[in-house]
Amino acid sequence: MPRARNAVNRIVLAGAGTMLLAGGAGVLAADPVLSTVLPDRVPRFADGSRPVDPAALAGWRRLEAWTPGVGAGLLVVALLAAALLLFQARRGRVRRLPLERPGAELSAGALREAVEDGLDAVPGVERARVRITGRPAEPVLRIALDLADTARPAEVAARVADTAVAGARAFLAPRRVRAEVRCTVRRGVPPRAR
């Protein structure tokens, strides 16, 4: 399903982009000043006319409501685009996880906090951040670890798999839980001599 949604998103965005480019090119071609400097490659209709009639556009510009109307329309388009962006950003996160018992659910935030607490107890981990993405049926734990400069990443990764990730998998069994771990080692900055 995510692949189909991504394909639909790309098709819709490509269509919207094409329409916006065509509309912008039409308005630019209708401007009498710009039409004299545009190259001959700019498409024209068969009878030589432009996509937007300059006289009709000038008539619209004389109306008192032209500027506020265009401004309001652009504001509505910008707000819709922002709402779509926020909607898509929030779609990747899981809010509730169904448990094995029918009707029982677990808050993804509670699981996230429990996993983070378990990760903070692993030696060498200075800071742990967990996001739960994917689908409720197949959640993905995205773990970002900041390690001390003395920590050994291979040992920390093994401890993370054996403790926090294994606990989350056992709790959500028989559901399959994937884990992606990203480790960043913080290098210590030596103090400056004064």
Side-chain angles (χ1 to χ4, degrees):
M1 184 68 178
R3 286 184 182 174
R5 185 175 61 226
N6 287 342
V8 170
N9 282 345
R10 288 184 180 136
I11 291 170
V12 169
L13 288 174
T18 303
M19 287 182 358
L20 288 172
L21 282 173
V27 170
L28 284 176
D31 192 326
V33 175
L34 288 176
S35 64
T36 59
V37 296
L38 287 176
D40 292 333
R41 292 175 291 182
V42 174
R44 309 246 188 236
F45 291 125
D47 61 355
S49 64
R50 296 182 189 106
V52 178
D53 183 26
L57 190 60
W60 279 103
R61 287 183 178 156
R62 276 190 227 113
L63 297 175
E64 290 181 22
W66 169 259
T67 302
V70 169
L74 291 175
L75 180 64
V76 167
V77 169
L79 289 175
L80 288 173
L84 178 64
L85 180 67
L86 286 174
F87 175 73
Q88 289 188 351
R90 296 181 76 168
R91 288 285 307 227
R93 293 195 182 202
V94 175
R95 299 213 180 277
R96 298 233 170 250
L97 296 163
L99 297 176
E100 190 174 5
R101 202 168 109 209
E105 288 184 333
L106 172 68
S107 166
L111 179 64
R112 179 184 52 81
E113 289 177 16
V115 172
E116 283 179 355
D117 290 344
L119 292 170
D120 286 335
V122 173
V125 174
E126 289 185 351
R127 183 174 176 217
R129 293 174 307 284
V130 177
R131 282 183 29 214
I132 301 173
T133 61
R135 299 178 316 184
E138 288 186 15
V140 178
L141 299 176
R142 296 188 188 274
I143 301 170
L145 300 174
D146 292 337
L147 305 180
D149 59 351
T150 57
R152 293 190 173 148
E155 291 177 7
V156 171
R159 295 271 315 242
V160 165
D162 292 342
T163 57
V165 174
R169 284 182 175 150
F171 194 74
L172 294 173
R175 195 170 298 105
R176 190 182 130 200
V177 179
R178 277 191 320 136
E180 297 174 4
V181 180
R182 190 185 84 233
C183 296
T184 305
V185 178
R186 291 189 170 189
R187 299 282 177 210
V189 178
R192 292 184 183 177
R194 291 186 181 199

